[in-house]
Amino acid sequence: MDRTTNLLGALALALTDKMGAELKDIFDRSGETAAAVIVIGYVPGISVQILRQVLDLSHPGTVRVADRLEEDGLVERRSGLDGRTVALHLTRKGTIMRKKLMMRRLDMLEAALEGITTNERGVLADLIAKVLTNLPETEMGKHRICRFCNVQTCSDCPIRGHAI
């Protein structure tokens, strides 16, 4: 293992821990619940089955997440397209929470980049994009990687195929 590999691992873990703490600070739910709010906002009407795959949870685990979000007034269940499935939609309160989560994520990431020049940020973006192209192993893996992304910002996503 070289230094770059080790530093990348430390950075990934530090950012994951920091993001988890920041999001839990404004959204007192654990696990993939915050990601569920963000993904449902990207794909209004998403089924529990597709959400389950994006979050990499069991079906019962995803149903429990949806139950908690519904109890919190953030999500509502509607009839799906075929009448047998359930479509998940954010409520007004859920949309507001999603915006807060996205802003907190952005603020945390901006703070991590403090002191890096515009030119350095461009170089870093190119290097990160190269690394990201190596990561998804499946079509759903693309969606999983982008579950917290601000897709409007990333109009030229480096992940091949269509992510969220």
Side-chain angles (χ1 to χ4, degrees):
M1 176 187 299
D2 67 3
R3 183 171 187 263
T4 303
T5 304
N6 198 45
L7 289 172
L8 178 62
L11 176 63
L13 188 57
L15 290 175
T16 299
D17 290 349
K18 181 74 172 159
M19 188 178 319
E22 290 287 330
L23 297 182
K24 190 161 175 62
D25 184 50
I26 61 170
F27 186 61
D28 194 25
R29 290 289 186 185
S30 61
E32 288 291 295
T33 312
V37 171
I38 292 169
V39 171
I40 294 167
Y42 282 139
V43 188
I46 192 170
S47 70
V48 170
Q49 177 61 19
I50 299 298
L51 183 63
R52 179 197 76 72
Q53 293 175 45
V54 173
L55 301 179
D56 195 26
L57 296 174
S58 67
H59 183 79
T62 308
V63 170
R64 285 190 298 274
V65 167
D67 288 345
R68 286 190 298 269
L69 292 173
E70 190 172 42
E71 288 168 13
D72 292 344
L74 302 172
V75 166
E76 64 182 14
R77 287 179 165 102
R78 299 181 194 164
S79 182
L81 294 176
D82 65 4
R84 294 177 295 148
T85 59
V86 173
L88 302 173
H89 294 267
L90 292 180
T91 62
R92 184 170 163 4
K93 182 178 175 184
T95 300
I96 292 168
M97 176 55 71
R98 182 178 185 275
K99 287 178 184 175
K100 288 179 183 178
L101 291 167
M102 296 295 290
M103 287 305 300
R104 182 64 67 97
R105 173 186 175 271
L106 177 63
D107 291 345
M108 184 277 303
L109 293 171
E110 283 293 339
L113 294 172
E114 189 174 320
I116 297 179
T117 67
T118 302
N119 187 45
E120 291 169 331
R121 284 175 79 126
V123 171
L124 181 60
D126 291 342
L127 294 172
I128 292 170
K130 281 186 176 182
V131 172
L132 282 171
T133 62
N134 297 325
L135 296 179
E137 296 174 0
T138 65
E139 186 67 29
M140 194 51 68
K142 298 169 190 177
H143 301 297
R144 185 156 172 69
I145 289 170
C146 294
R147 69 188 183 280
F148 277 104
C149 283
N150 182 339
V151 293
Q152 290 78 22
T153 300
C154 198
S155 60
D156 58 344
C157 181
I159 299 173
R160 290 182 296 280
H162 175 66
I164 300 186

